[in-house]
Amino acid sequence: MSLNSKNLIQILHAEWIGSKADVLIDNISIDSRSLQNGANTLFFALSGVNNDAHLYILDLIEKGVQNFVVRHVPEDCAGKANFLVVNDTVTALQQFAGYYRNLFHFPIIGLTGSNGKTIVKEWLNFLLSPDYNIIRSPKSYNSQVGVPLSVVAINEKHNLGIFEAGISTVDEMTKLENMIKPNIGVLTNIGSAHDEGFLNLVQKIDEKLLLFKESEVIIYQKNEVVDSCLSQFSAEYMVNSRVLFSWSFTDKKATVFILKKENKSESTVIQYQYKGEKFDLEIPFLDSASVENSITCLLVLLYLKYDSATIQGRMQLLYPVEMRLAVKNGVHNCSVIDDSYSSDFQSLKIALDFLESQKKNSKKTVILSDILQSGFSNEELYTKVAHLIAANKVSRIIGIGETISSFKEKFSNITTFQNTADFITHFESLAFANETILIKGARAFQFEEIVALLEEKTHETILEINLDSISHNLNFFKSKLGQKIKIMVMVKAFGYGNGGLEIAKLLEHHKVDYLGVAFADEGISLKNGGIKLPIMVLNPESTSFPSIIQYHLEPEIYSIKGLNSFLKIAQEKKLKEYPIHIKLDTGMHRLGFEENNLDELVATLKGNTTVRIQSILSHMATSDEAKHYDFANSQIQLFEKLSSKLMNELNVKPIRHILNTSGISNFPDAQYDMVRLGIGLYGVSNDAAEQKYLENVGTLKSVISQVRSIPAGDSVGYGRRFMAQKITKIATIPIGYADGISRLWGNEVGYVMIKNQKAPIVGSICMDMLMVNVTEIDCKEGDAVIIFGENPTVIEIAKALKTIPYEILTSISQRVKRVFFR
C-alpha cells in the first residue's frame, strides 16, 4: 500500500512530524522484536500498563524503520524519522484497519461466541477454499489488537473474508465491528468464558450481537435466550431483509431442524430437515462440541446455496484443528516447531516471529510447503516469501511442493522436493543436527509425517508448557510494578520444573531485565543456549567462580570468605568492575551479610576497582502470610537501613531488591529498583483471590497403557494395598515416582482425569506406573490422561500432601518430555 502523509493524518486524526511526505507501506507492525520490521513498515507504538513500545523506537530507527504512530515523540528520536502523533495508538491502529477494510467490497463472514470461533473459522476456510480466495484471521487473532492486524492483511485478490471477534466485557464489540463489518454473521456456542466481564448472560449475548449490526444474515443455534436478545437487537439495528438462519435439536421452528443424531464407531450421523426436505450427513467426530461446530458450518454452506452432495463430500473430510504452535525436542539436538497444519502468508509471518523467539540453536531451518490462498500471484507471493525468509535470517529452507520448487531461484540456500514422499526418501541425506526447525505446511502435504521423523522419541508422558500463559502471568505481575521498576525472573531448578532454556528464551523476547538461577551450571546452560540477558547466580560455590567469570554470569556474594575468594580470582584475571550482587540477611537466616559484618564488608570493598556492586538484595521469609506481616515489615526496614549504609559508605547507587512473588502483591511500597518474580510466573499464588487472575502453565499428560477388569477380592499393586470390593475396571498409566509423582498421592488419596472424570489412584504408585479405578468411565487403551493441570491443580495436590506447589513442580523428572506451545 502506498500512502502519503495527508492520507495518514486524515485517517488517524494525527499530527504529522516528519519530512518525507510520500511513504510506501507494505507492513504494519506492533512488535519491536520482529525481524520483519524495515523501511516500509508503519510501526504503531502501543503502550499499556505492562509495556511501552515508545522505549524501543530509537532501536527501530537504527534498524531502518522510518514511520511511526506514537503518542509522543521520544526526545532522542526527534528529527530522525516520520511521526504521526495521536492520542491513543491502539485506537489509531483500529482506525487504520477500519479505513483499510472499507477499501474492499467482497463478502465477510464474522464469527463471535464463547467457544468454537477458531475451529469454525478454520473449517469454513477448508470447506469454502475450493471456490474462494479467502483471507482469514491467523491463529486466534480476535482481540482489539488481533483483529486490526488480521484485517490489514487483505489484498486485491481476496474475494471472501472470515474473521473472528473475541470480547471479554462490554463496549468492546463496536470497535471490532467497525473493522470487520461482516455481511454474514455467525454466532457460535455461548458458554461461560469471560462471564466475569458481564452482569449476566443476556448482557454478554447483547454485546456479541453488536458484531452483526450491518449483517444480512445471522446464523446461530436457536434457543429462548438468544431469540429474545435477537428480537430486541433486530428492532434496534434494522437491516432490510436480514435473515435469521437458525438450527436446533429441539425447536422445529428453526430454519434447519436436526431430526436425529446417531453415533457410529468413529463418526456421528445426523439427519436434518431444510426447506421441507430431509438429508443425512456424516460428521467425522463423536464429541458434542465438534458436532455443534460442524452444524454451524453446515448452515453457512446451506445459506451459500451449496447442494447436499457437495456438503457431504466436503464435511466428511473435516479434521481436528490444532490451534497452537508447539515446540518439541528433536533428533540430534534439534528443536522442532510444529506448525504442520496450515500454510498461508499471514500465519507464516507469525510462525517466523515465533521461530526467532524460541530458537535454541543459532542455525534456523524452515521446512515449507506450497503456500495456499495468499491472494497474490505466484510470482509476487514467492518474492514476498523469499524476502520474509531473508529478513528473518533463516539458515536454510526446504521447500516441498511443485509451486515452491518452480520458484526456488528466488531463495538462497534452498533445497526443494516435489512432494512429502520425495522429502522422506531423502531425509537422511539432509543431516538435521543442532538446529531449530520450523515445520510449516498446508494440511494436504501431511507434514505430520515429517514431524514424526524429526521428533525425539520418548515415552508417552509429556509436560505441556503453555507459553502464552507464561506471558500472561508475567504481564499480570508487571502491571503491579511502578513505571521504572526492573524485573528479575527466576528460572532456577529447570524453570521450576517447566524447562529453563525455552522459558528463558520467551523472557528474553519479553525484555525482562534479569534472570535468576541457583547454581552456576544452570546459568552456563542458558548461556550455551544463546541467552544474552544478564544472569544472576544466587547460590554460587567458590569452586564455580572461574566458570562464572568465563560465561559472564553475575554471582551473589553473601559472606566475607566468598567475597575474598572471588576478589582473588578476579584480580588474577585482571578484571575491572565485574558485576557482583551483595546479599544481606535481614531475618531469613539462610545466606547473607548481617549487620555486624557490614564494617568489614565496607573495608574490603572500599577503593576496590576489580568488582562493582551491581545490586544489593535480601530475601523475605514471610511475605505470603498475613500473620507475619509485622516481621516482613521489620525485614524491609532493616534492608533499608543496611543497604543505605552500604550505599553511603561506598558511594554507590546499585539496584536494590527484596520482594519475591508474594512480596510484589503484598508490599508494593517496597519495590525499590527491582523485584524478583518466581512461582507466580508459573501460575501459582499463595493468595486465592489473586490465583483466579493467573493462568495454568504446565499440564502433565499421559495415556492409558492397558485396561483390565478384576474380580472382587483381587488386589492391585505392591503390598496389596487396594482390594477390590466388586468387579473393578483398572487402567494402568505409564508414569510413576521416578517421573516425580509422590507415592503419598497413591492409595486413593489422589486421582487423575480421564474423559473429564476423576479416576482415583488405587494401590501404591510404582516407579514407572500407577493404576486408577475407571469402573465408571468409558475409556480405552491410548486415551489421554491428565495428571495435573487445570484439574487437579498443583495447589490441590500440594495441599493434600501437606507440602507446597514448588515441590510438586520441581519434582517432575527431566525424563518427562516437555512440549512448549503457543
Side-chain angles (χ1 to χ4, degrees):
M1 61 188 84
S2 181
L3 300 166
N4 62 47
S5 57
K6 289 182 179 179
N7 288 145
L8 288 169
I9 291 167
Q10 187 174 359
I11 296 164
L12 304 180
H13 309 291
E15 175 190 0
W16 173 267
I17 300 177
S19 56
K20 189 175 181 181
D22 292 306
V23 293
L24 178 64
I25 301 296
D26 65 8
N27 181 40
I28 302 297
S29 177
I30 63 168
D31 188 352
S32 63
R33 301 158 298 193
S34 175
L35 296 179
Q36 297 158 35
N37 294 323
N40 298 330
T41 294
L42 179 62
F43 185 86
F44 286 77
L46 305 189
S47 57
V49 292
N50 302 320
N51 206 357
D52 185 356
H54 291 77
L55 299 174
Y56 312 121
I57 288 176
L58 186 59
D59 290 342
L60 286 165
I61 292 173
E62 291 172 353
K63 293 175 182 176
V65 181
Q66 280 294 295
N67 303 292
F68 298 88
V69 180
V70 298
R71 289 170 57 188
H72 61 88
V73 179
E75 290 182 8
D76 53 358
C77 299
K80 297 179 180 178
N82 299 317
F83 296 96
L84 289 142
V85 183
V86 298
N87 291 327
D88 183 271
T89 48
V90 173
T91 300
L93 177 64
Q94 294 170 342
Q95 289 169 339
F96 183 85
Y99 158 80
Y100 190 75
R101 162 67 180 91
N102 286 331
L103 298 178
F104 301 91
H105 304 288
F106 53 77
I108 298 285
I109 299 173
L111 301 106
T112 191
S114 302
N115 308 300
K117 296 185 293 294
T118 302
I119 291 171
V120 171
K121 178 199 70 186
E122 293 298 322
W123 283 352
L124 286 176
N125 176 68
F126 169 77
L127 294 166
L128 298 172
S129 59
D131 310 305
Y132 295 93
N133 196 347
I134 299 173
I135 175 69
R136 72 190 191 280
S137 310
K139 306 298 179 185
S140 297
Y141 272 40
N142 60 25
S143 67
Q144 298 293 316
V145 172
V147 167
L149 293 177
S150 301
V151 168
V152 298
I154 299 173
N155 67 49
E156 292 77 4
K157 300 295 177 62
H158 293 124
N159 56 15
L160 179 68
I162 310 175
F163 296 108
E164 50 177 304
I167 56 171
S168 56
T169 189
V170 294
D171 301 325
E172 289 185 345
M173 188 59 87
T174 297
K175 298 174 184 177
L176 302 185
E177 190 276 337
N178 188 54
M179 293 179 278
I180 298 174
K181 293 193 181 306
N183 312 90
I184 299 172
V186 177
L187 185 67
T188 64
N189 176 272
I190 299 293
S192 59
H194 301 297
D195 271 358
E196 65 277 7
F198 302 93
L199 294 175
N200 50 47
L201 179 62
V202 169
Q203 187 185 54
K204 177 158 68 168
I205 295 172
D206 286 343
E207 180 72 16
K208 290 183 181 294
L209 289 177
L210 292 176
L211 178 62
F212 310 137
K213 285 192 294 186
E214 298 182 23
S215 298
E216 65 191 39
V217 61
I218 299 176
I219 293 169
Y220 70 103
Q221 182 178 6
K222 190 175 180 62
N223 66 61
E224 289 184 8
V225 179
V226 175
D227 281 336
S228 175
C229 293
L230 274 169
S231 177
Q232 183 174 340
F233 172 80
S234 296
E236 189 169 352
Y237 300 101
M238 290 184 289
V239 172
N240 289 335
S241 304
R242 177 188 286 143
V243 176
L244 297 182
F245 207 70
S246 62
W247 69 272
S248 176
F249 288 117
T250 57
D251 191 338
K252 294 183 179 180
K253 294 179 181 178
T255 313
V256 177
F257 179 60
I258 311 300
L259 294 162
K260 60 182 180 180
K261 182 178 77 167
E262 297 177 350
N263 288 345
K264 296 173 70 173
S265 59
E266 299 292 337
S267 62
T268 301
V269 175
I270 65 168
Q271 185 179 76
Y272 65 94
Q273 182 173 288
Y274 176 55
K275 291 185 175 180
E277 294 189 65
K278 297 176 182 177
F279 305 91
D280 290 331
L281 177 64
E282 187 169 350
I283 300 167
F285 303 101
L286 292 170
D287 65 288
S288 58
S290 294
V291 171
E292 290 188 11
N293 289 331
S294 299
I295 294 172
T296 298
C297 293
L298 164 67
L299 262 73
V300 174
L301 296 179
L302 289 173
Y303 180 75
L304 294 175
K305 297 182 169 52
Y306 280 81
D307 61 79
S308 60
T310 303
I311 290 172
Q312 177 61 78
R314 294 186 185 180
M315 290 193 65
Q316 67 185 4
L317 300 176
L318 289 179
Y319 51 87
V321 173
E322 181 59 73
M323 291 184 289
R324 63 193 189 188
L325 288 165
V327 184
K328 304 174 180 179
N329 290 330
V331 297
H332 309 310
N333 196 38
C334 292
S335 59
V336 176
I337 298 175
D338 181 2
D339 196 5
S340 59
Y341 69 96
S342 70
S343 181
D344 59 85
F345 188 67
Q346 277 303 103
S347 65
L348 175 62
K349 295 171 73 173
I350 295 167
L352 287 169
D353 278 341
F354 186 65
L355 169 63
E356 177 62 20
S357 72
Q358 282 299 306
K359 64 179 183 187
K360 285 187 187 177
N361 312 84
S362 58
K363 183 178 180 181
K364 296 189 293 186
T365 296
V366 173
I367 301 176
L368 181 66
S369 78
D370 288 346
I371 293 179
L372 310 178
Q373 298 179 308
S374 70
F376 304 111
S377 67
N378 284 335
E379 177 73 26
E380 186 179 4
L381 169 64
Y382 288 100
T383 299
K384 285 178 174 289
V385 172
H387 288 161
L388 198 59
I389 294 289
N392 280 270
K393 301 175 183 175
V394 172
S395 308
R396 69 166 167 167
I397 181 168
I398 296 170
I400 300 179
E402 294 179 3
T403 308
I404 195 171
S405 295
S406 67
F407 287 93
K408 63 182 179 181
E409 74 281 353
K410 293 186 177 294
F411 300 85
S412 60
N413 201 19
I414 187 172
T415 303
T416 60
F417 300 93
Q418 291 295 302
N419 51 51
T420 303
D422 189 20
F423 167 89
I424 292 172
T425 301
H426 294 88
F427 177 76
E428 294 298 333
S429 66
L430 293 167
F432 292 101
N434 303 308
E435 54 200 297
T436 303
I437 306 165
L438 169 63
I439 301 174
K440 183 92 178 109
R443 184 171 180 80
F445 285 84
Q446 298 181 313
F447 272 16
E448 61 271 17
E449 297 179 23
I450 296 176
V451 174
L453 283 173
L454 285 168
E455 189 176 0
E456 184 180 49
K457 306 304 183 285
T458 60
H459 68 323
E460 294 174 296
T461 297
I462 61 171
L463 180 60
E464 285 190 347
I465 310 300
N466 187 333
L467 296 175
D468 284 338
S469 293
I470 287 181
S471 297
H472 169 87
N473 296 337
L474 173 66
N475 287 332
F476 172 77
F477 285 101
K478 283 175 71 175
S479 71
K480 293 174 175 283
L481 304 182
Q483 191 169 15
K484 295 185 178 180
I485 304 301
K486 298 179 186 294
I487 187 165
M488 173 187 288
V489 180
M490 311 309 297
V491 290
K492 61 182 182 177
F494 194 51
Y496 288 58
N498 293 289
L501 179 58
E502 293 81 3
I503 291 172
K505 288 282 187 187
L506 180 64
L507 296 172
E508 190 166 60
H509 195 63
H510 280 293
K511 299 189 177 183
V512 303
D513 300 284
Y514 258 92
L515 298 178
V517 298
F519 299 105
D521 58 349
E522 296 176 316
I524 291 169
S525 177
L526 295 180
K527 288 294 186 182
N528 283 335
I531 297 299
K532 302 293 193 301
L533 282 174
I535 298 174
M536 177 177 159
V537 182
L538 282 82
N539 306 327
E541 298 158 322
S542 58
T543 54
S544 69
F545 286 158
S547 295
I548 284 175
I549 293 169
Q550 179 185 350
Y551 286 92
H552 306 290
L553 305 174
E554 301 180 17
E556 175 189 285
I557 302 295
Y558 49 81
S559 69
I560 292 295
K561 179 182 177 183
L563 176 59
N564 286 330
S565 295
F566 189 81
L567 287 175
K568 180 181 178 183
I569 295 171
Q571 288 161 359
E572 289 173 356
K573 293 182 178 293
K574 296 182 171 54
L575 300 180
K576 291 293 182 183
E577 302 219 337
Y578 195 92
I580 62 172
H581 302 261
I582 299 298
K583 176 73 168 287
L584 302 177
D585 181 3
T586 56
M588 182 80 164
H589 296 328
R590 189 171 64 178
L591 294 173
F593 292 95
E594 295 181 298
E595 188 169 8
N596 58 13
N597 305 136
L598 251 56
D599 290 339
E600 186 176 3
L601 174 61
V602 169
T604 305
L605 288 174
K606 187 165 282 188
N608 191 303
T609 59
T610 307
V611 296
R612 177 184 79 252
I613 299 179
Q614 181 72 3
S615 83
I616 301 173
L617 68 146
S618 189
H619 194 69
M620 299 181 73
T622 60
S623 62
D624 58 336
E625 297 183 73
K627 65 181 179 181
H628 292 306
Y629 279 0
D630 287 343
F631 180 77
N633 281 313
S634 73
Q635 280 196 270
I636 294 169
Q637 292 165 12
L638 184 56
F639 178 67
E640 173 65 29
K641 175 184 175 183
L642 301 185
S643 61
S644 295
K645 179 178 179 179
L646 276 179
M647 292 166 64
N648 291 333
E649 297 200 18
L650 291 172
N651 193 27
V652 294
K653 288 189 175 181
I655 299 167
R656 289 193 288 176
H657 49 113
I658 188 172
L659 297 184
N660 54 6
T661 295
S662 297
I664 292 171
S665 299
N666 296 329
F667 298 92
D669 294 334
Q671 292 179 3
Y672 285 97
D673 306 297
M674 185 163 72
V675 298
R676 302 188 301 273
L677 176 60
I679 193 72
L681 182 76
Y682 306 99
V684 176
S685 172
N686 292 300
D687 183 345
E690 184 175 80
Q691 183 64 47
K692 67 182 182 180
Y693 294 105
L694 300 179
E695 293 184 358
N696 179 67
V697 168
T699 301
L700 183 58
K701 293 182 173 183
S702 194
V703 297
I704 296 174
S705 295
Q706 190 175 42
V707 179
R708 73 181 75 242
S709 290
I710 63 172
D714 273 20
S715 62
V716 173
Y718 289 117
R720 307 195 72 199
R721 290 183 174 87
F722 174 80
M723 304 292 294
Q725 303 300 309
K726 59 181 181 179
I727 295 175
T728 304
K729 188 165 66 168
I730 300 294
T732 300
I733 318 298
I735 185 171
Y737 60 77
D739 300 293
I741 307 302
S742 172
R743 293 180 77 247
L744 298 175
W745 190 234
N747 295 307
E748 298 179 273
V749 173
Y751 64 92
V752 302
M753 295 296 292
I754 300 173
K755 297 287 188 72
N756 294 317
Q757 298 177 68
K758 291 184 178 181
I761 300 172
V762 294
S764 297
I765 291 175
C766 309
M767 180 180 289
D768 308 301
M769 287 171 279
L770 58 82
M771 288 70 73
V772 297
N773 186 338
V774 293
T775 305
E776 304 301 324
I777 302 174
D778 180 18
C779 60
K780 62 183 183 300
E781 293 172 7
D783 281 349
V785 179
I786 303 297
I787 312 301
F788 66 63
E790 296 284 357
N791 184 25
T793 66
V794 292
I795 296 173
E796 179 185 349
I797 296 172
K799 186 176 181 180
L801 301 185
K802 295 180 172 57
T803 185
I804 55 177
Y806 297 75
E807 183 175 349
I808 306 302
L809 288 172
T810 58
S811 294
I812 302 304
S813 166
Q814 291 196 35
R815 82 174 187 177
V816 173
K817 180 172 72 171
R818 271 70 173 173
V819 173
F820 300 84
F821 69 90
R822 292 183 76 169

